[in-house]
Amino acid sequence: MQRSTLLDSALAAAGRRKSVTAVGYTNVVLILADGLGWGDVGFGGNRYVSTPVLDKLAADGIVLSQHYTASPGSAAARASLLTGRYSQRTGALSGESNRGLDRFSLGEATLADLFGTAGYATGMVGKWHNGLFDLHYHPNRRGFDEFVGFQNGEMDYFGWAIEANGKPSFGDGRYLTDVLTEGAVGFVDRHHQEPFFLYVAYNAPSRPLQAPEAEVRAWREMGRFNEAVCRLYAMIHHLDNGVGRILESLAYHGLQDNTLVLFTSACGPWLGNERLGDGRSMNLQRYNGGLRGMRGEVLEGGIRVPTVVRWPAGLGSTSHGGAARAGTPVTVDAMIHFCDWLPTLTAAAGVTARPPNALDGINVLPVLQGTSSTVIEKRFWQYNRYDPVPNCNAAVRDGPWKLVWPAIPSAMARLPVDEVWRRGMIGVPHFEMAIDTSAIHRTVPPPANPELYRIDEDPGEKQDLSARFPDRLRAMQQDLERWFEDVHAERRSLPDVWRGAR
């Protein structure tokens, strides 16, 4: 097994050895892609993408067909995944790090905090995007003993600037996905004899569209896709290889059976125009599993994300897990949400510590094991930039029904000054500075009419049923309004994230 080299020595010195050495413990490896859609993996029905590792993981594990991110925005989704709470409660609203909108309150406990209290070694590798300009929000302050990666929302894949527990490291010719994979493998190498929780947050296949030329060539030669999609599919293939190396490291140390591996994506795919490094702008429209919508939108294509769970020791004796271990793909159709993973992963590992704030998720381990069908039937989404705008890009799912308020373009747009900040942070290491608290001046028109769908019959959200079921529409509107006020009232009570109207 090849060990990581660049960052391994720095982390070996910094890594905290735990006093707990348990027998029969469960490790957890949480792998998060960025902007990977249902149509971007082979097990999602794409015949042209190359994801043999993920396809094998799906065949050996459990595929969740109705798994939802908490937000179509990356930073907010990550906050919910780590805290088990709607990001709006925690203060994480959108991705503008220079305005502090990506961070979640210091009063929130993370998965790493809880695993750490149980004696687990905790490590994070990759994209943080939950607090850039203040070290209080650094991963090492949010429960992670070890951190290899970057704190902002984007990073160049060749001219990267990352850190290992505060020690900076800069691009040396290697591809960033490989560097992050080495960081993950190195963590497993160091901690294979003790319980560990590892969070691997790849930035692939998110922008910028960069991949090794030798890999891009395979899709160019097909003659089916434009240059942007060719590069993106090459990025996904490289991500797939990285996941394979992590799984190989678990098998090498004999940890495959007692390690719960969860693979998912922060949000759905971007299907709009993307600028290439040479200045050309190309469209990323591609197969998305028949779902409507994309990253940034609360339509199914933006929030329903490909997800696989593999845990032979914990799922192997159940009806679901037994089939999975035999190599037969198993699909769970229950509606599962990012907020469910904190209570589920801690339950699987026997971690008894509880966060200080009420969770928005539940333990769905019995659902994965096939012994229960109980899930939270009512889920909510709302996302725009800056101040939350009611009835803009919002949705509620109530069993098979889904209400959608369409996005208002002016509320979704990033201000030009913040776009300059975003681009300027690519390739720049972390530094401390005050966030921008200046007022946001914009005009937001009234919303369009809400739409109503039966997701069980119409997952592509093609037939709006609002005119046929006005009572159902009205009831779900009221549910969403109550939720919106509830979560934002809690956010306004947080002293470290709420700064009044922007």
Side-chain angles (χ1 to χ4, degrees):
M1 174 63 63
Q2 180 181 0
R3 293 178 59 91
S4 61
T5 56
L6 177 66
L7 303 174
D8 195 60
S9 59
L11 286 176
R16 186 178 73 200
R17 282 292 171 184
K18 303 289 183 175
S19 59
V20 173
T21 303
V23 176
Y25 57 80
T26 298
N27 302 310
V28 173
V29 178
L30 168 54
I31 305 175
L32 188 68
D34 192 15
L36 188 76
W38 258 107
D40 288 331
V41 289
F43 68 84
N46 190 326
R47 295 180 297 158
Y48 300 105
V49 75
S50 177
T51 55
V53 172
L54 293 177
D55 297 343
K56 179 65 163 58
L57 188 68
D60 292 342
I62 297 174
V63 176
L64 306 183
S65 65
Q66 290 196 86
H67 179 251
Y68 289 92
T69 181
S71 173
S74 172
R78 294 162 196 272
S80 290
L81 183 62
L82 289 171
T83 65
R85 286 159 50 80
Y86 285 118
S87 65
Q88 292 88 347
R89 298 189 192 279
T90 72
L93 297 178
S94 59
E96 288 71 37
S97 300
N98 61 304
R99 295 183 181 271
L101 294 172
D102 60 337
R103 62 179 61 169
F104 57 90
S105 172
L106 298 175
E108 300 289 341
T110 68
L111 272 164
D113 287 322
L114 301 181
F115 274 94
T117 64
Y120 276 63
T122 58
M124 188 205 161
V125 176
K127 171 180 171 177
W128 177 238
H129 207 193
N130 282 137
L132 172 61
F133 294 116
D134 186 335
L135 286 177
H136 289 92
Y137 298 89
H138 189 280
N140 289 146
R141 303 280 189 95
R142 306 313 301 263
F144 291 100
D145 301 330
E146 302 180 10
F147 170 60
V148 177
F150 57 98
Q151 292 174 247
N152 53 329
E154 295 179 27
M155 185 56 63
D156 192 279
Y157 286 85
F158 292 102
W160 41 263
I162 63 175
E163 64 164 277
N165 282 4
K167 182 179 179 180
S169 181
F170 300 91
D172 56 8
R174 290 179 301 152
Y175 189 59
L176 180 56
T177 299
D178 291 333
V179 177
L180 299 181
T181 297
E182 288 182 5
V185 170
F187 180 89
V188 174
D189 285 348
R190 287 190 300 278
H191 299 288
H192 68 274
Q193 292 183 318
E194 61 184 329
F196 62 80
F197 167 67
L198 175 61
Y199 171 38
V200 185
Y202 286 107
N203 53 323
S206 187
R207 64 163 63 124
L209 295 177
Q210 299 171 329
E213 278 295 308
E215 295 185 42
V216 180
R217 193 176 304 122
W219 279 274
R220 289 194 190 118
E221 291 174 352
M222 289 184 189
R224 301 184 62 91
F225 311 107
N226 66 23
E227 177 66 14
V229 175
C230 287
R231 292 189 188 184
L232 183 128
Y233 280 174
M235 294 170 74
I236 293 172
H237 178 63
H238 216 95
L239 166 68
D240 187 76
N241 288 338
V243 175
R245 286 190 57 198
I246 296 171
L247 299 181
E248 287 172 2
S249 72
L250 295 174
Y252 176 82
H253 292 295
L255 302 176
Q256 179 169 309
D257 284 352
N258 72 317
T259 299
L260 189 158
V261 176
L262 168 62
F263 176 87
T264 187
S265 178
C267 51
W270 174 246
L271 302 177
N273 289 332
E274 189 62 50
R275 189 171 297 279
L276 306 183
D278 58 10
R280 289 180 294 168
S281 181
M282 292 188 179
N283 194 279
L284 277 171
Q285 186 68 42
R286 59 193 188 276
Y287 175 69
N288 193 25
L291 301 179
R292 177 180 164 220
M294 62 180 179
R295 180 176 188 150
E297 299 175 334
V298 298
L299 295 166
E300 292 292 287
I303 59 175
R304 191 191 292 207
V305 289
T307 304
V308 178
V309 184
R310 188 193 75 180
W311 182 28
L315 302 177
S317 62
T318 66
S319 58
H320 288 331
R325 291 193 70 185
T328 303
V330 172
T331 298
V332 169
D333 295 323
M335 185 170 63
I336 297 175
H337 187 273
F338 262 28
C339 286
D340 294 324
W341 289 116
L342 183 144
T344 300
L345 297 180
T346 52
V351 174
T352 58
R354 294 292 88 192
N357 302 311
L359 297 177
D360 288 307
I362 63 170
N363 173 19
V364 295
L365 189 57
V367 177
L368 302 180
Q369 293 174 328
T371 61
S372 172
S373 60
T374 301
V375 295
I376 296 177
E377 295 287 340
K378 196 172 293 186
R379 287 296 187 186
F380 302 87
W381 296 266
Q382 194 281 325
Y383 175 77
N384 63 266
R385 299 198 182 277
Y386 311 114
D387 242 9
V389 177
N391 302 336
C392 167
N393 200 36
V396 55
R397 177 82 190 267
D398 187 358
W401 294 93
K402 182 179 176 184
L403 176 146
V404 175
W405 283 99
I408 303 173
S410 60
M412 305 299 294
R414 183 186 282 117
L415 295 181
V417 64
D418 295 329
E419 181 65 19
V420 171
W421 269 107
R422 182 189 70 79
R423 294 183 180 276
M425 289 297 99
I426 300 176
V428 176
H430 166 81
F431 59 91
E432 290 192 84
M433 64 170 287
I435 60 174
D436 184 354
T437 60
S438 61
I440 300 296
H441 299 290
R442 59 181 179 173
T443 301
V444 178
N449 293 326
E451 302 163 0
L452 184 67
Y453 301 98
R454 279 282 306 227
I455 297 301
D456 58 337
E457 301 171 353
D458 179 25
E461 295 168 299
K462 298 177 181 178
Q463 185 177 7
D464 180 6
L465 303 174
S466 57
R468 289 177 53 189
F469 299 95
D471 292 341
R472 162 64 66 173
L473 181 74
R474 189 176 307 109
M476 295 180 72
Q477 284 181 252
Q478 293 171 351
D479 287 340
L480 185 58
E481 289 168 1
R482 285 191 291 266
W483 171 84
F484 186 91
E485 180 52 39
D486 175 48
V487 295
H488 289 294
E490 187 166 352
R491 176 178 65 92
R492 288 190 288 269
S493 70
L494 301 174
D496 60 324
V497 297
W498 172 249
R499 298 186 304 278
R502 300 182 184 89

